[in-house]
Amino acid sequence: MPRGATLRRGRTLVRSERQQKPEPMIKKEKRKLTPWVIYSRIISFWAPGVLLTKLGKMPDPGMQQAWREKIALVSLIVLVCAAVVYLTIFLTMTFCPQSAAKTQYRVFHYNDTTSGPSVIGILGGAFSTENATWTTRLDFTPVPGQDLTPYFNVPVPPSCQSSKLAGLRAPTQNVCGDNNGNGGCPLGDKDTAIQKNHLVSMDGRPVGYDWSDVQSGFFVLNGYVLNLSPYLITVGKKQKPGDILDEAIFGAANAGLVDATLLFQRTSQMKAAAQCLIDRYAAGVLAKDTPGCFAVNLFNYVALVVIGGIVLTRFFMAVIFQYVLSWQLVRRPPRSKVRPLSYNAAAPWTGKKPQTGGAVANLGKGDEDEL
């Protein structure tokens, strides 16, 4: 046999006519303006195409759009994480402040004759009148727990003198005039009158109001019951134009809005005004959970059930897999189902017999020339 006349296999895979062009990973086609595409372009407006081409080395529009969609996905993840942080930490602080969530077992309930009729309320605190010697006689018999703060001359608290409240009327309005509905403040200065009339504080116990006890001129703020009646009567029930605090007060006291907590959570000025109103017009505390506290507690219970259900489900699934299913996956099959390995056998999923004799017949024309 002459040299070189050996049977060999030609390199058919390097022929240009048999090569196939690989499909591009990103097809150059214009994306439709779906809401997702629009959002991705809005959230990545700070990265124009020129910047991505020069600095990001992404000249292809499809690559740029893929990058923008990654940024959009990251932004959604950040928003979800922020929502989780707010629901976990700040939800209770917003809708159920500490003053509203405190224990109610120490309160003296308004109009509760079983605890004794000789109790009045001053700035939300309960005072016993059992040994009182009134220097100024009242023309009525106080209801147990009734707020008598409007009958005292209460100085303006420091929280109402903040510069944040400049221009607002309610924080510094004089409510001891003859037109306040009580003929002024007949009992005089609060601290002096408490001593002269022998009013005894009941160990700091607050006066507790039920929802049905919150009458017209009263409303709930951060768990406190406020008595704005002297202020409303003094100003003639006329709202000051442009006064956002007056707008909230009149809306809460006259429009049947019992719980006005959300109205005072909008701005830092309204939050400062809320503390001022509590220090000056408090009549007691709410002896029931506020709607905000109820909603927060309901959300916490639902979240606990959902999260606990997910954790327990995963736990029991892991236990079942470990002790029930895993050993069945690794056990050896019986000998009757084990077949010896044959290199000439076809794959079991093809269902065809192996064909080797016609392999040479299937060679191309060029292959025959090279044999």
Side-chain angles (χ1 to χ4, degrees), residues 43-219:
I43 203 67
S44 60
F45 73 95
W46 47 269
V50 177
L51 185 64
L52 296 179
T53 301
K54 299 298 182 181
L55 299 181
K57 297 181 180 181
M58 291 181 286
D60 187 73
M63 297 175 62
Q64 296 180 7
Q65 180 59 30
W67 182 85
R68 295 181 188 278
E69 293 182 4
K70 290 181 180 179
I71 297 298
L73 184 60
V74 170
S75 67
L76 293 180
I77 295 174
V78 172
L79 290 177
V80 171
C81 292
V84 172
V85 171
Y86 174 78
L87 294 175
T88 306
I89 301 177
F90 299 103
L91 183 66
T92 303
M93 298 171 58
T94 303
F95 295 98
C96 187
Q98 184 178 3
S99 59
K102 64 183 180 180
T103 307
Q104 300 291 339
Y105 73 94
R106 295 184 62 250
V107 302
F108 178 89
H109 290 273
Y110 173 81
N111 201 15
D112 182 10
T113 57
T114 59
S115 299
S118 56
V119 176
I120 62 171
I122 303 176
L123 282 180
F127 286 80
S128 173
T129 60
E130 185 175 356
N131 299 319
T133 56
W134 296 103
T135 57
T136 301
R137 299 188 62 181
L138 301 176
D139 57 356
F140 64 93
T141 301
V143 176
Q146 180 176 349
D147 180 40
L148 294 188
T149 306
Y151 293 86
F152 295 90
N153 184 9
V154 181
V156 178
S159 59
C160 294
Q161 303 175 13
S162 172
S163 58
K164 292 183 179 181
L165 307 180
L168 303 181
R169 182 173 61 176
T172 57
Q173 175 68 33
N174 180 20
V175 293
C176 274
D178 296 335
N179 60 338
N180 69 345
N182 302 320
C185 297
L187 296 179
D189 181 72
K190 177 178 72 71
D191 295 334
T192 304
I194 289 176
Q195 295 179 358
K196 286 184 177 182
N197 293 284
H198 300 92
L199 304 178
V200 181
S201 175
M202 300 181 65
D203 299 327
R205 292 176 60 185
V207 178
Y209 286 76
D210 202 347
W211 286 112
S212 59
D213 300 325
V214 183
Q215 307 169 0
S216 177
F218 289 68
F219 61 84

Side-chain angles (χ1 to χ4, degrees), residues 9-44:
R9 174 70 174 173
R11 296 182 298 171
T12 59
L13 298 180
V14 298
R15 294 194 175 187
S16 58
E17 65 272 12
R18 297 188 179 183
Q19 292 181 353
Q20 294 183 0
K21 187 177 180 180
E23 289 290 336
M25 297 182 63
I26 302 178
K27 295 184 179 180
K28 296 182 179 180
E29 57 181 8
K30 189 175 181 180
R31 294 284 300 274
K32 296 181 180 180
L33 288 179
T34 61
W36 174 247
V37 174
I38 296 174
Y39 173 75
S40 64
R41 293 182 180 180
I42 293 176
I43 203 67
S44 60

Side-chain angles (χ1 to χ4, degrees), residues 324-334 337-338:
V324 178
L325 301 178
S326 61
W327 66 273
Q328 297 182 6
L329 298 177
V330 298
R331 67 176 181 175
R332 299 186 62 179
K337 295 184 179 182
V338 177

